[in-house]
């Protein structure tokens, strides 16, 4: 075995052995955006832009309700959050606006 064998790295994206530094960059995560196009981040506060009926809770969250301390999920169209009366709430980003 010569030293040239160690100069190649297996690139899982292409399935080929390539020289170091030529591997494909990992795909970037899509930015999570609210209904107005503002970028959301963990810990942000958002406001609801329309009344939403919450399934399983027999409750409606009214337009203008503030949701604090959101958490981003793997899906760029959903955020995980809590409300005073509802825990484990997942909202679609199309129904919120960053405060």
């Amino acid at each position: 075995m010569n030293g040239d064998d160690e100069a190649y790295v297996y690139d899982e994206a292409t399935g080929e052995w390539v020289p170091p530094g030529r591997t494909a960059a990992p795909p970037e995560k899509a930015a999570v955006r609210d209904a107005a196009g503002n970028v959301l981040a963990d810990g942000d506060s958002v406001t609801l832009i329309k009344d939403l009926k919450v399934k399983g809770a027999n409750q409606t969250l009214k337009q203008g309700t503030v949701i604090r301390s959101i958490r981003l999920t793997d899906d760029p169209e959903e955020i995980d959050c809590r409300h005073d009366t509802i825990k484990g709430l997942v909202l679609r980003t199309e129904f919120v606006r960053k405060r």
Side-chain angles (χ1 to χ4, degrees), residues 9-51:
V9 178
Y10 184 72
D11 184 5
E12 292 182 13
T14 62
E16 299 176 355
W17 288 92
V18 294
R22 296 219 24 226
T23 58
E28 290 186 25
K29 288 183 101 174
V32 178
R33 297 185 180 272
D34 68 0
N38 301 316
V39 176
L40 297 173
D42 284 336
D44 283 347
S45 294
V46 295
T47 304
L48 297 180
I49 61 171
K50 70 179 269 184
D51 291 353

Side-chain angles (χ1 to χ4, degrees), residues 57-76:
N58 294 331
Q59 184 177 354
T60 301
L61 294 175
K62 298 290 184 187
Q63 177 180 350
T65 301
V66 175
I67 306 291
R68 292 181 176 81
S69 269
I70 65 167
R71 287 182 307 279
L72 304 181
T73 63
D74 292 334
D75 185 348

